[in-house]
Amino acid sequence: MIKILKYGEVPNSEIFARTEPTVNVEATVSEIIANVRAKGDAALYEYCEKFDRAKLDSLAVTPEEIDEAVAAVEPRFLEVLEKAAKNIRAFHEKQVRNSFIINNESGIVIGQKVIPVDRAGLYVPGGTAAYPSTVLMDAIPAKIAGCREVVMVSPPNKEGKINPVILAAAKIAGIDRIFKVGGAQAVAALAFGTESIPKVDKIVGPGNAFVAEAKKQVYGVVSIDMIAGPSEILIVADGLSNPRHVAADLLSQAEHDKMASAVLVTDSASLAEKVSAELERQIPLLERAEIARVSIDNNGKIIVSPTLSVAIDIANELAPEHLELCVDNPFDYLDAIRHAGSIFMGRNCPEALGDYFAGPNHTLPTSGTAKFSSPLSVDDFVKKTQYTYYTKEALERVAHDVEFFATKEGLTAHAKSAVVRLEEEQ
């Protein structure tokens, strides 16, 4: 049963506690990465046979396999994928940044260029957890950014096939190349390249502890989106909220995995009790009841706050991945929310809208990292470079200022380079 905590009557350490993963896979992942770097495709085939029980003839997915997969997907689902993709494109197109140029002073031009990374790599989980939504959320911003090539990796099943819905989403999103490989070995292949899989500049996408650790270890060789922790939802709800709806929304995250965190913060003790009862009623009805049960019992909590204002303060401190504002006038509170991955406004906006359909990205900062990081966006697939141009006359106006500044830092060669051209003229 979920814990009910009264804010101010229990230690803050209990209010703000997070369950930390205890599994340590650092050494195993390090060995896998080293093996892939040394043996390339051969290592990938070995790991595919070992972990996925699949003996492959080729790592690459052919156009014929993609067409076969699309044909196998229910037409209604293809239609929904297209609608979701349209919404995701419309939202992320607004994120495109422009280069700029400043030429306000005679003889001086400065500016910034916004340049897409050449090649983006997308990791998409497979097996029992097939998430075509992740394909759309990760690939569409990369394509909008203008990446020259978007490469996807996903583990195959025992027959050597990637889930058809994953391939259908990949086609809708416009992914350029797809490979049948998963786990830490897939991340290593994207980071360093093999005979079949090209080296990428950025790796994005969720995965298990091995994938997360691999992304952590290859960071610096390539860029990554984030190190994702367990799924989280925090709901701020007042006493007028429907407990059935609130419980359902909490369980939408609790069913992800046993480490997921579902938290309700409310100013109503009555709602707290009703939501607790609703959770007990709804959990046995879920297909993933066992997972949700462990998540709610171990990581779930209901915090009873004296006011909604304090509830917002608690939410900001926890900085959740998903934040629902279940109140009548959610825009009254929007400015007060400073730390959250994605905010769902009002009583008719379940977090599932964001997972699949609304348009904002569902790849979000977890574990409190929303205090300093952002959802996946077009910005993740671009980099910026800057340029400076001075005429001879413009340099003459500032050269001695630069010389003076450099000398104060003890860098006399810097200072000399600023004035040497003036000396030549003399």
Side-chain angles (χ1 to χ4, degrees):
M1 181 173 287
I2 196 166
K3 300 181 289 290
I4 299 179
L5 310 174
K6 192 164 184 180
Y7 185 75
E9 294 186 4
V10 298
N12 280 358
S13 58
E14 191 171 351
I15 295 289
F16 300 117
R18 272 192 165 91
T19 303
E20 300 294 336
T22 55
V23 59
N24 188 337
V25 298
E26 183 177 347
T28 302
V29 168
S30 180
E31 180 182 340
I32 290 172
I33 291 173
N35 197 23
V36 171
R37 291 189 71 180
K39 297 172 62 178
D41 280 358
L44 300 180
Y45 283 116
E46 290 172 7
Y47 286 127
C48 191
E49 191 167 354
K50 177 180 179 181
F51 296 127
D52 303 310
R53 305 290 190 265
K55 194 169 181 63
L56 301 178
D57 296 322
S58 171
L59 296 170
V61 175
T62 65
E64 292 76 20
E65 286 179 288
I66 296 173
D67 291 340
E68 178 185 324
V70 172
V73 175
E74 180 186 356
R76 167 71 173 138
F77 190 39
L78 291 175
E79 180 184 337
V80 171
L81 284 173
E82 291 279 10
K83 288 180 179 178
K86 180 180 178 181
N87 292 340
I88 295 165
R89 286 192 187 97
F91 181 84
H92 289 81
E93 282 170 352
K94 297 292 186 182
Q95 297 175 336
V96 175
R97 293 178 181 265
N98 295 317
S99 300
F100 64 80
I101 186 169
I102 301 173
N103 187 15
N104 296 334
E105 191 172 344
S106 176
I108 299 174
V109 180
I110 56 177
Q112 177 176 278
K113 289 177 62 179
V114 178
I115 308 165
V117 300
D118 285 340
R119 185 180 287 128
L122 278 54
Y123 185 93
V124 178
T128 57
Y131 298 129
S133 56
T134 295
V135 179
L136 301 181
M137 294 289 181
D138 290 357
I140 289 173
K143 299 298 286 189
I144 291 172
C147 296
R148 292 180 178 177
E149 189 172 43
V150 179
V151 178
M152 186 182 92
V153 293
S154 189
N157 59 20
K158 289 186 291 186
E159 287 72 44
K161 301 286 188 181
I162 292 177
N163 192 306
V165 298
I166 296 295
L167 294 183
K171 184 169 185 178
I172 289 170
I175 288 173
D176 299 294
R177 300 170 71 185
I178 307 170
F179 297 93
K180 304 171 186 176
V181 59
Q185 60 272 25
V187 174
L190 291 173
F192 297 100
T194 70
E195 297 90 334
S196 297
I197 299 176
K199 180 186 184 326
V200 303
D201 302 301
K202 180 143 193 172
I203 301 173
V204 304
N208 60 20
F210 292 90
V211 171
E213 177 62 30
K215 287 169 68 178
K216 182 178 179 181
Q217 290 191 23
V218 302
Y219 176 66
V221 176
V222 294
S223 177
I224 61 172
D225 51 353
M226 62 189 75
I227 305 295
S231 298
E232 304 168 342
I233 187 170
L234 186 148
I235 301 175
V236 172
D238 61 21
L240 300 177
S241 299
N242 186 320
R244 183 182 174 199
H245 298 171
V246 173
D249 291 358
L250 290 170
L251 292 173
S252 72
Q253 290 305 292
E255 73 169 352
H256 263 298
D257 64 71
K258 294 178 180 179
M259 294 295 293
S261 169
V263 177
L264 166 64
V265 187
T266 178
D267 60 350
S268 169
S270 174
L271 181 70
E273 296 293 342
K274 290 175 182 176
V275 169
S276 177
E278 267 297 319
L279 288 169
E280 296 306 304
R281 186 187 71 80
Q282 292 185 31
I283 288 174
L285 305 177
L286 300 175
E287 287 188 13
R288 296 166 69 89
E290 180 187 358
I291 293 172
R293 175 85 274 166
V294 175
S295 169
I296 289 296
D297 288 354
N298 291 352
N299 310 316
K301 63 183 78 169
I302 298 175
I303 302 168
V304 180
S305 164
T307 65
L308 279 181
S309 177
V310 173
I312 297 295
D313 291 341
I314 293 170
N316 278 325
E317 181 61 30
L318 285 168
E321 178 186 16
H322 307 97
L323 172 62
E324 288 189 12
L325 285 176
C326 290
V327 294
D328 282 331
N329 300 299
F331 287 94
D332 291 348
Y333 299 91
L334 183 58
D335 286 348
I337 300 294
R338 299 184 65 248
H339 307 304
S342 194
I343 307 171
F344 300 86
M345 310 283 285
R347 303 191 193 281
N348 301 297
C349 196
E351 179 275 330
L353 273 172
D355 272 351
Y356 301 111
F357 201 76
N361 211 282
H362 80 191
T363 301
L364 304 169
T366 62
S367 306
T369 59
K371 286 188 174 182
F372 53 80
S373 57
S374 308
L376 189 77
S377 71
V378 171
D379 286 344
D380 282 282
F381 299 99
V382 300
K383 58 191 180 70
K384 306 170 193 72
T385 189
Q386 56 198 26
Y387 57 89
T388 304
Y389 169 79
Y390 272 57
T391 63
K392 173 187 170 185
E393 293 76 18
L395 175 62
E396 289 174 347
R397 293 198 301 267
V398 301
H400 289 296
D401 289 337
V402 176
E403 177 192 29
F404 182 75
F405 204 147
T407 302
K408 285 297 183 183
E409 290 195 347
L411 298 175
T412 54
H414 280 66
K416 182 69 173 179
S417 73
V419 296
V420 66
R421 291 166 178 79
L422 308 186
E423 294 170 355
E424 289 173 357
E425 290 300 317
Q426 295 169 357

